[in-house]
Each structure stands twice: as structure tokens, then as C-alpha cells.
Amino acid sequence: MAFSNNKKTKMVAAVVADKMDYVKKSKSYLSESELKNKKYGKTYTVYIPDPGKVVDGLVANPDTVNEIEYEIELKNKNTSVNIDSWNDLVDIESFRDEIALPKGTKLAQTVQDEIVDNNVIRSAQAVVGKASFATLAKASAKLRKAANAGTKVSFVDAEAMAEIASAGLSNFIPDSIQKDIYGKSYLGEYAGASQIELEHVPTVTGTGSAATITLEENADGTGFEPVDTVSVAGGKKGEAYKATGLKLVDLNGIESDAEYVIILESDADASGEAKIGELRITFENEAAGNPNAWVPAGTASLTLTPMLETGTEYYVCQVRTEDALGFDTYKFSDLPGSENETQSIDNVSVKMSKYGNGTTMETLVRLDLPFAAGTPETRKSVTMYIEK
């Protein structure tokens, strides 16, 4: 062969990494050694720190550290090719055009679509609006409301972004470093965030489904027990709701005046229940249980109101801090009798495996992209619902 398996695998990995803009600047939660030989379908736990409570005066009032757990599942996607195609393409150009580009692009897009679908809705705040600079600006401002530091990046559907850009492309201020990272998908900086267009984002159509949350006051009377489901017959994944009186506690543990938004993370099941990001409500000035939301003292229930217009379809987009998304790739153990090669580009690893079948005398080459992705802290993200 004119060039080796490791060079071929590296070429595929380069294509995959180049096509996955959404994960390019994410946070690794586990080292490569910790992820070694991890099993598909298993999970690892991320811990959200507790900022605690500040009290007046000279007398200390120590509280218990309450770290919140969030589990991220290990997943995998693969594509395969017969050995003749893999070995017969012995020059770089032919291999790139016939294997690396089509296989790598499809693998990257499939993985990224799944990650985007599950994480653009992992937010504690949301904006509903037209494809406009105003929507981008409002979403970025809400992200600042949650006391987010660090680089902010906005991911918007390509068609919606084209409509926004047509109203004033000069509003985007270029940054050479971000341009190098995101390439042609990068439009520039606006409202304090890097603006990136994605080929695919999920869409959702408002159903107007009525939603309710059952609240159970905690034992010490400082707030409510954590909630991770809502009752919403007919509700669809991605729909957003406001709750009267429910406000955001920012990342520093400070009670803000920003509205906390509840977003469905699954379709309603047969019993009319849907998953949401964990809601930890404290009463005003109590700051108990590492809360992400607060309500005035004396609140006993919440009235939820749909944010999306019934029958209207929306692109589901997002502005977040780069480190809001946790992304890691891990390595499978090698099977006996197989030839293996793993190549990593940036934070993406692709594994090539060659397997011979003694029964049929055939050989298979497969390319695997094992990954783990999640957004542990919803306050580091704002979901944008842009009307189609």
C-alpha cells in the first residue's frame, strides 16, 4: 500500500473532527486513562459544586456542602467498509474522496446531530423570537444574567442565520482565532458570543399542552424536594414553559430576577410524564440544597405557561459557554485476532478495526467513534426558539 492504516485512520479522524463544530470547544470531564476500556452503555458522574450561603454579622452559620450529581452515558456510533475498498485505494486523493470524506462526514454528522438534539435544550433560560439580531442579543444577555464567565458561543440553524446575516452582515465582528477553530461555519462575534451556523438543529412545534409540577416541601422548610419530571399530556421534547414566581439562582448562588424556564427533555410518556432538567427550588433568602431556582416564601404551587405558540414551528438553537458541554471520547479494548489503530484529532478519536471471518473468508474494516456528551449545568446555556 502507498500509505499505512494509521495514516488512513488519521485522515478519517481529521474529517470527523473538522465536521463537528458543536464539540470543538467543550470540556473534558475524564482523563484518557480514566476512560480506558470503559464499556458502551455505562455512565460516569459529574458533580456540580455548591456555592453555599453567605450570612450577615460575625457569627458563622456553616452549611452542608451539597454537590449535585449528573450522569453522562457512554455511547458509540460506527461505519464500516469492505476490505477491498479499504486496501485497493492506495493513493491519498482516492482514499480521501471515496472513503474519508463520505464515511467521515456521515459519521461526524450523525454523532453531532444526536449531541445537539439532546443538549441544546439543556437550559435554565430561553428566548422565543424571530430570526433577528435582537434574539441573539437577548439570549446572550440572559446567559450573562446567570453569572457565566468564559467564552460564549452561539449555535444557530444555517437558514435562520442566513436570514439574520442578510439584515446586517457587518454587525458580525471577526476574530481570527475563532475563525481558525470553526472555519466556514463562523460568522463573527455579536453580543459577546461567537456566532456559529449549524447545518442541522432540532425543530419543535408548540402543542399548547398544559403542564403541572407536583411540589413537595422539604423537611426543614427551606424549599422543595428536587423535581425532574412534569405532568404534561401530549407534550413534546423541546417545549418550554414558564412558571409564575419561579426565578433563577445564578451560578454564584445569588437570587436573580431572571425567569427560570422549564424545558421538556423527552416526549410525554403514556402516563403523561416528561423528563426535565433537575429543578431545585429554595425559598427566598434560604439558599438551601444547592438551588438553581427560588420562589417567594409561602409559595405552595407553580402555574406553568407554555412559551411556544400552538402550531408554530421553531428552530431550537442555543447560546452557551464553551465549557457547558462535556465531551469525551474513549477507547474500546481490542478483540483477539483483530488489527486496530486509533487516531485522535483535537478532542475527537476514531478507531479503525480490521476483522477476519474464518467461516466466510471475508474481512471487514469498521470505524468507531465512541463518545460521551452532556450538559451537567443548565445555567450555562440559553435555548433560542427561532420561528421558521
Side-chain angles (χ1 to χ4, degrees):
M1 292 194 302
F3 64 113
S4 61
N5 281 334
N6 67 329
K7 290 182 179 179
K8 289 181 175 180
T9 309
K10 190 170 186 177
M11 185 180 293
V12 176
V15 172
V16 173
D18 182 62
K19 299 296 183 181
M20 294 180 65
D21 288 329
Y22 190 74
V23 306
K24 282 182 177 176
K25 298 293 288 183
S26 52
K27 180 176 179 177
S28 173
Y29 278 97
L30 286 184
S31 68
E32 186 174 308
S33 61
E34 291 176 296
L35 282 166
K36 185 177 180 180
N37 295 331
K38 291 288 187 181
K39 302 295 185 181
Y40 169 79
K42 299 295 185 181
T43 61
Y44 65 86
T45 303
V46 175
Y47 297 92
I48 299 172
D50 186 355
K53 181 179 181 179
V54 175
V55 297
D56 288 327
L58 298 177
V59 179
N61 183 17
D63 50 10
T64 302
V65 174
N66 190 345
E67 288 188 322
I68 303 302
E69 297 183 355
Y70 175 74
E71 290 191 340
I72 296 180
E73 184 180 4
L74 302 174
K75 299 184 177 183
N76 179 68
K77 293 193 184 297
N78 74 82
T79 184
S80 56
V81 61
N82 64 61
I83 192 66
D84 291 340
S85 298
W86 182 267
N87 283 347
D88 288 351
L89 298 171
V90 295
D91 65 272
I92 292 175
E93 290 78 12
S94 295
F95 183 82
R96 180 194 61 209
D97 293 342
E98 296 188 36
I99 299 292
L101 282 174
K103 294 283 186 181
T105 299
K106 181 64 177 291
L107 183 60
Q109 193 66 68
T110 303
V111 172
Q112 177 165 278
D113 284 353
E114 179 175 311
I115 296 173
V116 169
D117 187 60
N118 290 328
N119 287 278
V120 293
I121 58 175
R122 287 279 302 165
S123 301
Q125 298 184 87
V127 170
V128 180
K130 304 286 187 180
S132 67
F133 284 103
T135 299
L136 299 182
K138 288 177 182 177
S140 187
K142 284 185 177 293
L143 195 59
R144 292 193 294 274
K145 274 278 194 179
N148 278 288
T151 303
K152 300 172 179 61
V153 61
S154 175
F155 295 97
V156 178
D157 178 82
E159 289 190 30
M161 189 65 91
E163 187 174 344
I164 295 171
S166 68
L169 186 59
S170 61
N171 289 335
F172 295 112
I173 308 301
D175 179 284
S176 59
I177 295 176
Q178 296 294 72
K179 178 67 175 177
D180 287 343
I181 295 171
Y182 294 104
K184 293 180 180 179
S185 300
Y186 174 70
L187 270 72
E189 304 295 304
Y190 181 76
S194 300
Q195 302 293 332
I196 315 299
E197 60 179 25
L198 291 181
E199 295 178 10
H200 304 113
V201 299
T203 61
V204 63
T205 300
T207 65
S209 300
T212 58
I213 291 179
T214 300
L215 295 176
E216 178 185 349
E217 192 168 324
N218 57 27
D220 56 10
T222 57
F224 298 98
E225 294 295 327
V227 176
D228 59 9
T229 61
V230 297
S231 298
V232 55
K236 296 296 182 182
K237 179 179 178 179
E239 288 195 87
Y241 292 81
K242 290 181 181 179
T244 304
L246 185 66
K247 304 291 184 180
L248 181 82
V249 173
D250 72 20
L251 291 167
N252 295 327
I254 305 298
E255 295 170 359
S256 78
D257 63 351
E259 292 180 308
Y260 191 99
V261 172
I262 297 163
I263 300 176
L264 306 188
E265 295 186 0
S266 70
D267 291 348
D269 60 20
S271 63
E273 295 287 319
K275 296 179 181 178
I276 63 171
E278 186 177 70
L279 180 59
R280 305 181 301 277
I281 308 173
T282 186
F283 288 128
E284 188 174 5
N285 297 324
E286 291 291 347
N290 198 349
N292 53 15
W294 68 277
V295 292
T299 301
S301 62
L302 297 175
T303 301
L304 273 59
T305 304
M307 293 180 65
L308 308 184
E309 292 290 334
T310 303
T312 299
E313 188 175 8
Y314 300 86
Y315 296 113
V316 186
C317 307
Q318 179 190 42
V319 59
R320 61 170 171 85
T321 56
E322 287 180 333
D323 66 355
L325 179 71
F327 179 80
D328 288 286
T329 54
Y330 62 104
K331 296 180 180 180
F332 292 138
S333 56
D334 297 337
L335 293 178
S338 63
E339 180 182 337
N340 299 273
E341 179 68 39
T342 297
Q343 292 290 335
S344 299
I345 303 292
D346 297 328
N347 59 343
V348 175
S349 296
V350 173
K351 180 177 182 179
M352 182 280 297
S353 304
K354 293 174 69 174
Y355 303 92
N357 188 322
T359 302
T360 63
M361 296 295 288
E362 296 175 337
T363 306
L364 170 74
V365 175
R366 61 179 284 168
L367 300 162
D368 284 88
L369 177 50
F371 68 96
T375 303
E377 178 53 80
T378 59
R379 288 171 291 184
K380 291 187 175 185
S381 168
V382 175
T383 299
M384 290 180 280
Y385 295 92
I386 299 177
E387 290 184 31
K388 290 192 69 173

